[in-house]
Amino acid sequence: MEALIYKSTGSWYTAKANDGKFYQARAKGIFKIDGISSTNPIAVGDKVILEKEEGQEDTTIITEILPRYNYIARQSPANKHQHHIVAANLHQSFLVVTIKDPKTSQGFIDRFLVSSEAFHVPAYIIFNKKDIYKEKDLIKYEHLKEVYESIGYPVFLVSADTNEGIEELHELMKDKVTLFSGHSGVGKSSLINKLIPGLTLRTKQVSGWSGKGLHTTTFAEMFDLPYGGSLIDTPGVREFGVIDIEKRELSHYFPEMRALIHNCQFNNCIHINEPGCAVLEALENSEIDVERYVSYLRIMDTIEEKNY
Ligand SMILES: Nc1nc2c(ncn2[C@@H]2O[C@H](COP(=O)(O)OP(=O)(O)OP(=O)(O)O)[C@@H](O)[C@H]2O)c(=O)[nH]1
Ligand SMILES: [Mg+2]
Ligand SMILES: [Zn+2]
């Protein structure tokens, strides 16, 4: 029978079959998808074929992964040459960020957005913890909202504590599959608890933000929305390493650069020091945000040359 993966712990999967029931499932053999080396060949959101295990009442075996409509992957933290598939078959992703406690850097936002572009998953930026922002934090927020909305990424300001802005998120999520991603401690699970009444995901107990590297959510998990659609909670990530992008194509994943590159004098321009570069000209005229360009250079530095 056909089923959808709701949770993966590495060795066991929870899958909802088209009989409407949840099954515990194990994977049979080694799956290799598209020939890529991945730490987790089956991810939350994957459609699979389940077979009842002989002699077992409740457990099942995954015998096949059905083709993916799309997926998001990042570098495995343990091995940068391996992929970690964050989730599959997504309509959109919410990058949950915070101005403080913890602070999300613009570089992190940009690496996530580049991956979203490369995997063709529309991204929204959700600033959480509005209730603790002081005036200077709100000024920073307004600046970032302007930067990102001007290049096509919708930006929202919400608070899981006070419920501000939550209603707007409901509308965006209806009948869609939405991935929640972001650093640990930004409030992904807290927001999800507000978005799905009755859900009580574990969130960091201590009030406020007291340390780094303490992940409260440890496995990605999908939840159905009461008004149609579903969402995927994920463990916080420290870094979102981009994968499978070549130096020459990186600017295609920056929408504000993509719009200009046909004006560069050389068609193999990578917009660093070439003469007649339309991107550098726009940068000089402040038509491109300097921090975005800095992110471009930083990501460029992390891309290893392949065969030239
Ligand atoms: N002041 C304030 N605190 C919040 C808000 N949202 C979440 N928090 C607090 O931030 C801390 C982290 O929240 P979580 O929901 O566990 O964060 P998470 O993003 O799911 O973290 P991981 O599961 O580790 O990735 C908790 O102490 C929450 O109470 C908010 O809107 N305002
Ligand atoms: Mg969490
Ligand atoms: Zn150029």
Side-chain angles (χ1 to χ4, degrees):
M1 56 191 162
E2 210 176 296
L4 189 59
I5 301 293
Y6 271 61
K7 186 176 186 178
S8 151
T9 62
S11 43
W12 281 98
Y13 299 89
T14 305
K16 187 182 178 183
N18 45 15
D19 64 4
K21 288 188 200 140
F22 283 93
Y23 293 89
Q24 291 300 106
R26 284 186 301 143
K28 189 177 151 194
I30 293 164
F31 292 94
K32 229 181 175 186
I33 294 168
D34 305 335
I36 57 168
S37 166
S38 150
T39 52
N40 59 330
I42 306 171
V44 172
D46 264 325
K47 286 203 180 100
V48 299
I49 301 292
L50 286 187
E51 277 173 21
K52 290 247 165 81
E53 207 170 353
E54 252 176 70
Q56 298 286 329
E57 276 289 293
D58 335 298
T59 58
T60 56
I61 305 250
I62 298 167
T63 55
E64 200 182 326
I65 309 176
L66 300 180
R68 287 177 178 146
Y69 161 74
N70 66 12
Y71 63 94
I72 284 194
R74 63 185 182 97
Q75 274 178 6
S76 150
N79 177 351
K80 67 175 179 173
H81 296 293
Q82 274 200 320
H83 296 185
H84 177 80
I85 300 173
V86 180
N89 300 318
L90 307 161
H91 291 120
Q92 57 192 16
S93 66
F94 283 3
L95 179 62
V96 182
V97 302
T98 37
I99 298 282
K100 63 178 188 189
D101 299 344
K103 178 186 153 88
T104 306
S105 71
Q106 218 180 319
F108 178 85
I109 294 175
D110 293 334
R111 279 186 291 281
F112 181 87
L113 294 178
V114 163
S115 295
S116 302
E117 293 286 335
F119 291 111
H120 305 290
V121 177
Y124 294 80
I125 307 173
I126 317 292
F127 283 83
N128 187 32
K129 307 200 184 187
K130 180 183 181 192
D131 56 293
I132 58 166
Y133 295 172
K134 303 226 167 70
E135 202 181 321
K136 67 172 197 310
D137 303 313
L138 288 168
I139 291 169
K140 265 187 213 155
Y141 162 76
E142 288 299 337
H143 168 71
L144 291 171
K145 181 179 170 74
E146 159 114 34
V147 166
Y148 288 101
E149 288 202 325
S150 72
I151 55 174
Y153 301 106
V155 174
F156 294 86
L157 181 57
V158 304
S159 165
D161 267 22
T162 65
N163 280 341
E164 245 187 292
I166 303 283
E167 203 51 47
E168 267 180 294
L169 301 186
H170 278 290
E171 279 160 43
L172 291 175
M173 296 169 67
K174 189 170 162 27
D175 297 329
K176 301 222 164 105
V177 179
T178 306
L179 174 76
F180 279 63
S181 198
H183 285 321
S184 185
V186 296
K188 297 178 292 298
S189 301
S190 303
L191 279 172
I192 291 167
N193 282 338
K194 290 295 171 79
L195 288 161
I196 305 182
L199 193 69
T200 49
L201 293 177
R202 216 156 66 81
T203 58
K204 204 176 170 62
Q205 286 305 309
V206 286
S207 66
W209 175 250
S210 59
K212 279 190 174 160
L214 299 162
H215 299 264
T216 308
T217 303
T218 46
F219 298 109
E221 184 166 3
M222 177 143 69
F223 300 94
D224 291 333
L225 298 169
Y227 43 87
S230 58
L231 61 77
I232 300 169
D233 189 14
T234 62
V237 291
R238 204 183 283 262
E239 225 6 290
F240 209 100
V242 306
I243 49 172
D244 287 350
I245 293 175
E246 298 200 6
K247 285 185 188 263
R248 274 208 194 129
E249 62 182 17
L250 181 59
S251 58
H252 296 237
Y253 304 127
F254 281 74
E256 69 273 50
M257 295 191 192
R258 186 166 61 215
L260 297 171
I261 50 190
H262 60 275
N263 293 331
C264 290
Q265 186 177 332
F266 299 105
N267 63 12
N268 61 354
C269 188
I270 58 167
H271 329 296
I272 291 184
N273 52 20
E274 295 88 341
C277 172
V279 170
L280 292 174
E281 192 187 313
L283 184 68
E284 226 151 83
N285 298 336
S286 305
E287 287 152 18
I288 285 182
D289 179 60
V290 178
E291 287 301 319
R292 287 275 296 167
Y293 186 71
V294 169
S295 292
Y296 174 76
L297 294 180
R298 291 225 174 110
I299 297 171
M300 188 67 91
D301 270 348
T302 67
I303 298 176
E304 287 168 15
E305 288 287 0
K306 281 189 180 148
N307 299 317
Y308 38 84

